[in-house]
Amino acid sequence: QSALTQPASVSGSPGQSITISCAGARDDTGVSNRVSWYQQHPGKAPKVMVYEGDRRPSGVSNRFSGTKSGSTASLTISGLQAEDEADYYCCSYAGGNTWVFGGGTKVTVL
Amino acid sequence: QVPLVQSGAEMKKPGASVKVSCKASGYTFTSYGITWVRQAPGRGLEWMGWISTKDNNTNFAQRLQGRLTMTTDTSTSTGYMELRSLRSDDTAVYYCARINDFLSGFPLDHWGQGTLVTVSS
C-alpha cells in the first residue's frame, strides 16, 4: 500500500480557514470513505478528529470538517484558533486489516 | 472513558528485544481490534500491525515481518507488542490504539499514552 501524500505545512491567521489535503486516500474499493484524520499536539498521543471521510466523533468541534472526492480527502479547520496548532495525519484503511498514514501536516497559527 | 494504559519507557541495546503492554479498561476487550503505531523522533506515524482480540489473527507491515509479534491476554484485557533484533532506527514512541470495528472507516478511536523505546549501545 502506497503512503498517503499530505503537504508538509499549512498556516493561517486566527479566524481563517485552512484545508489539508490527503492524496492517494483510496482503498480497495476505489473510494476514500475509509479515511480518518488525527490531531497530535507535541508529546501527546494522536486524537481522532474525523472518520469515514467526513464524520466527527462526539466532542470534536464542528470547526473541523472532512470532505472526500475520489482518491483525495481533505480536512478543513474553520475559525482557526491557537489551540489548533498541531500536527495532523490522515489515515486510510487499505483493506486486509492494514492501515496507512500520510506523512503529516504541521499546522501553524500565525 | 476508554483508557489504554501502556507500560513504561524502555532502553535496549542493539540486537535485543522489547515487549510493550497495553492494558484496556472500560469496554469489552474482545469487541474491538488493537493496532500498534510507532513514531520515530521528529517523524510521522507509522502503522506497524493489527491483532484481532477475538482470535489473535494478526497482520503486520511488510517491513517489520519476521521481527514483530503481537499477542493478547483476554483474561487481563491486555495487548502486547514484541519487537526483536532491535536496531537504532527502532528508537521511537510506540502507541497502541483501539480499532472501532463498528464504524465503516475502522478509525483508531482511542490511543494509549505511548511508550518510548530507546535503542542504543
Side-chain angles (χ1 to χ4, degrees), chain B:
Chain B
Q1 287 292 344
V2 183
L4 297 172
V5 180
Q6 299 182 220
S7 48
E10 302 264 12
M11 183 162 286
K12 297 291 182 180
K13 293 191 182 304
S17 299
V18 68
K19 192 171 186 178
V20 178
S21 67
C22 171
K23 183 171 175 58
S25 61
Y27 71 96
T28 302
F29 183 68
T30 52
S31 292
Y32 298 83
I34 293 285
T35 195
W36 290 84
V37 175
R38 70 179 180 177
Q39 186 171 36
R43 305 295 296 271
L45 302 175
E46 177 188 10
W47 180 77
M48 298 178 67
W50 157 87
I51 182 166
S52 166
T53 54
K54 294 180 177 64
D55 56 18
N56 277 332
N57 275 342
T58 55
N59 199 8
F60 302 142
Q62 195 167 10
R63 64 179 296 207
L64 296 172
Q65 295 268 6
R67 295 202 295 137
L68 184 59
T69 301
M70 292 181 186
T71 56
T72 65
D73 181 346
T74 57
S75 69
T76 60
S77 298
T78 302
Y80 298 91
M81 183 281 301
E82 182 178 26
L83 189 61
R84 300 177 295 280
S85 302
L86 289 168
R87 310 186 291 246
S88 58
D89 63 356
D90 291 318
T91 294
V93 176
Y94 289 74
Y95 294 100
C96 63
R98 188 183 85 163
I99 301 162
N100 195 320
D101 297 304
F102 298 97
L103 298 175
S104 174
F106 307 116
L108 314 182
D109 65 352
H110 291 277
W111 294 65
Q113 82 277 19
T115 297
L116 175 62
V117 175
T118 303
V119 183
S120 174
S121 54

Side-chain angles (χ1 to χ4, degrees), chain A residues 17-100:
Chain A
S17 293
I18 60 168
T19 296
I20 304 166
S21 60
C22 175
R26 187 174 68 183
D27 65 12
D28 54 3
T29 67
V31 295
S32 56
N33 282 325
R34 296 177 174 179
V35 172
S36 49
W37 288 89
Y38 300 85
Q39 176 192 64
Q40 186 182 35
H41 287 109
K44 300 295 186 181
K47 172 188 174 184
V48 62
M49 306 301 282
V50 166
Y51 65 94
E52 239 177 79
D54 59 5
R55 303 187 70 174
R56 267 188 318 274
S58 61
V60 171
S61 170
N62 59 9
R63 297 186 300 103
F64 293 84
S65 60
T67 57
K68 52 194 181 187
S69 177
S71 62
T72 298
S74 298
L75 176 71
T76 296
I77 309 173
S78 57
L80 201 60
Q81 299 179 2
E83 68 207 47
D84 301 331
E85 187 161 292
D87 294 324
Y88 291 82
Y89 295 89
C90 62
C91 177
S92 179
Y93 176 70
N97 294 305
T98 65
W99 283 255
V100 62

